[in-house]
Amino acid sequence: MNLSELLESLTGDERNFIAGLDHGDDRVEHREQLDIVISNKGTIDAEDQLWYPYSVIEMGKNVLYPGHDREFAACVGIVLHNVLEGADKMNNVAQIIAMFSHQISTLSEDLRDMINGFVQIKDDMLETRRIQLRAPKIDKPD
């Protein structure tokens, strides 16, 4: 399962749970914007969606509530996706994985694999950068 598949499979109740994470404040606006993020395969508009719905998505990545594994994984996945895409400049993939590794380890295999996929993407990106940094300088022919 990838992030897009997870997001598309979220039920109305699961989406409402995420939208209500700020003590139910602005639930309707969060839900409307969350649906847009889901239709965009998890990508946020960094200018327009940092409060609605990203603030509740951030809250959702911070706590694994009993019985809400899919919502937690979706929130973690959305944040990791946006970090790697450059829309989220506040978070860090390695830090998120380290801080929430215990909660992530309790998820089902398919949800863990989806999250671990972001770690692999980050590692691949770093390796690509290392290769680019090590590439020899090509001089002009004489």
Side-chain angles (χ1 to χ4, degrees):
M1 170 183 306
N2 63 35
L3 177 62
S4 182
E5 292 168 338
L6 172 60
L7 295 178
E8 290 173 14
S9 74
L10 291 176
T11 66
D13 287 344
E14 290 168 329
R15 292 176 186 208
N16 287 337
F17 178 83
I18 295 168
L21 285 171
D22 190 11
H23 309 287
D25 292 347
D26 302 320
R27 178 188 303 251
V28 172
E29 182 70 22
H30 282 300
R31 172 60 195 268
E32 289 171 0
Q33 292 299 314
L34 178 62
D35 288 342
I36 292 170
V37 170
I38 289 171
S39 71
N40 290 332
K41 302 180 184 329
T43 301
I44 65 157
D45 179 334
E47 290 186 28
D48 294 329
Q49 294 179 315
L50 284 181
W51 185 255
Y52 301 107
Y54 209 60
S55 62
V56 291
I57 293 168
E58 282 269 339
M59 291 176 188
K61 82 152 174 46
N62 291 332
V63 179
L64 172 54
Y65 294 95
H68 295 281
D69 295 10
R70 288 169 41 86
E71 295 94 323
F72 172 76
C75 291
V76 170
I78 291 170
V79 171
L80 293 175
H81 170 72
N82 283 284
V83 168
L84 293 173
E85 291 293 314
D88 180 336
K89 304 210 185 302
M90 301 174 289
N91 287 295
N92 172 300
V93 172
Q95 183 179 22
I96 291 169
I97 298 300
M99 287 178 61
F100 304 109
S101 62
H102 176 71
Q103 292 94 324
I104 293 168
S105 72
T106 67
L107 297 174
S108 63
E109 184 177 358
D110 59 337
L111 295 176
R112 271 194 330 267
D113 287 348
M114 185 269 302
I115 292 171
N116 285 330
F118 288 104
V119 175
Q120 185 60 50
I121 291 168
K122 177 195 72 74
D123 290 347
D124 291 348
M125 290 171 74
L126 288 174
E127 184 58 28
T128 299
R129 286 184 189 142
R130 284 187 196 108
I131 290 169
Q132 290 171 347
L133 291 173
R134 288 187 298 221
K137 181 179 176 190
I138 300 174
D139 294 323
K140 285 175 55 175
D142 292 330

